[in-house]
Amino acid sequence: MFVETMTLTFALAFLTMIILLPIGILAGYYFYYSKGWLKLVFEVLVWLPLVLPPTVLGFYLLLALSPQSPLGAFLLEHFNVKLVFSFGGILLGSVIFGLPFMIQPIKSGLFALSDNLQRASFTLGRGKLYTLFKVLLPNIKPSILIACVGTFIHAVGEFGVVMMIGGNIEGKTKVASIAIVDEVEMINYSLAHQYALTLFLTSFILLFVMLYINKRFLNDRA
């Protein structure tokens, strides 16, 4: 049970990170390049998962994806897909809830760059996508690393959204954060400690490696 739950937890976190990475890069560049009120609206939507209680987001996702809702009924009828109480559902919730953790570091990294980099690339006749992937992104590797690690760690420890949309189904939606609560309620502190310690050590090691690589990168550029 422990191995199965941890495997599911890490799979959820890894897939969340992989899905959000290209989204974070494109969204970060959009915020870096664009102006106007529409940009502000998108920024508010990105930041909402940080300020809303996770159960609120999870509740509305549950309603939206329920087979009784228009969207849920459409997915079930035409694609035979039922997202509530499934791994696909908690993955979707994790992706939405992880948006600010991926986008914000990338956006901040782009804004910290000198405008001369982009101007020089445009002067040489390079397009926006070339400038993004060949000029800007190589100069914000620490920010991308922070975004990936932060997103992964956050997805590993997520509870509210996953619980609301996925429930507590063994082998399908029961991740480590939910398992800890279950074991504590059953006064099985030994197994709860295994889950908690694994999450703690995983987060500590990833943060340590991230900060070490970031420091090496900054030293190499100095």
Side-chain angles (χ1 to χ4, degrees), residues 39-90:
K39 170 188 173 182
L40 181 60
V41 171
F42 284 136
E43 282 192 295
V44 170
L45 291 175
V46 168
W47 275 95
L48 267 179
L50 277 181
V51 298
L52 280 175
T55 48
V56 172
L57 179 60
F59 173 69
Y60 282 115
L61 281 174
L62 180 63
L63 291 183
L65 300 176
S66 168
Q68 285 72 43
S69 72
L71 176 59
F74 175 81
L75 291 174
L76 187 60
E77 180 180 351
H78 295 281
F79 300 100
N80 196 30
V81 172
K82 182 182 177 184
L83 290 177
V84 292
F85 307 121
S86 70
F87 182 79
I90 64 174

Side-chain angles (χ1 to χ4, degrees), residues 3-5 10 26 42 49 69 83 86 89 96 103 106 118 120 128 131 153 155 169 206 209 214 220-222:
V3 174
E4 183 181 46
T5 300
F10 290 138
L26 295 178
F42 284 136
S69 72
L83 290 177
S86 70
I96 294 174
I103 294 175
I106 295 176
Q118 184 172 236
K128 291 180 181 178
T131 300
I153 293 175
I169 304 174
L206 287 176
V209 172
N214 187 29
D220 290 342
R221 294 190 62 183

Side-chain angles (χ1 to χ4, degrees), residues 4-173:
E4 183 181 46
T5 300
M6 292 310 307
T7 301
L8 184 68
T9 301
F10 290 138
L12 175 66
F14 180 76
L15 289 174
T16 299
M17 180 186 71
I18 293 300
I19 292 171
L20 279 176
L21 180 56
I23 296 174
I25 289 173
L26 295 178
Y29 188 56
Y30 168 77
F31 291 136
Y32 170 73
Y33 181 76
S34 65
K35 294 176 179 153
W37 65 269
L38 190 58
K39 170 188 173 182
L40 181 60
V41 171
F42 284 136
E43 282 192 295
V44 170
L45 291 175
V46 168
W47 275 95
L48 267 179
L50 277 181
V51 298
L52 280 175
T55 48
V56 172
L57 179 60
F59 173 69
Y60 282 115
L61 281 174
L62 180 63
L63 291 183
L65 300 176
S66 168
Q68 285 72 43
S69 72
L71 176 59
F74 175 81
L75 291 174
L76 187 60
E77 180 180 351
H78 295 281
F79 300 100
N80 196 30
V81 172
K82 182 182 177 184
L83 290 177
V84 292
F85 307 121
S86 70
F87 182 79
I90 64 174
L91 178 59
L92 176 61
S94 183
V95 166
I96 294 174
F97 200 60
L99 277 171
F101 295 91
M102 180 64 77
I103 294 175
Q104 189 57 35
I106 295 176
K107 172 191 164 186
S108 298
L110 290 172
F111 272 93
L113 293 175
S114 170
D115 291 338
N116 293 331
L117 285 173
Q118 184 172 236
R119 291 197 195 98
S121 181
F122 289 162
T123 301
L124 294 172
R126 304 300 186 182
K128 291 180 181 178
L129 284 180
Y130 181 94
T131 300
L132 172 63
F133 288 101
K134 296 294 186 179
V135 179
L136 301 181
L137 292 183
N139 284 282
I140 62 164
K141 289 178 183 177
S143 298
I144 296 174
L145 179 62
I146 291 171
C148 289
V149 172
T151 301
F152 184 91
I153 293 175
H154 177 262
V156 162
E158 173 51 36
F159 177 83
V161 172
V162 172
M163 185 65 184
M164 289 295 293
I165 195 172
N168 187 6
I169 304 174
E170 193 78 42
K172 289 183 65 177
T173 63

Side-chain angles (χ1 to χ4, degrees), residues 176-195:
S177 57
I178 296 174
I180 292 172
V181 176
D182 278 355
E183 300 308 325
V184 170
E185 288 179 346
M186 292 186 290
I187 319 181
N188 189 357
Y189 293 145
S190 177
L191 187 53
H193 174 64
Q194 290 184 48
Y195 286 120

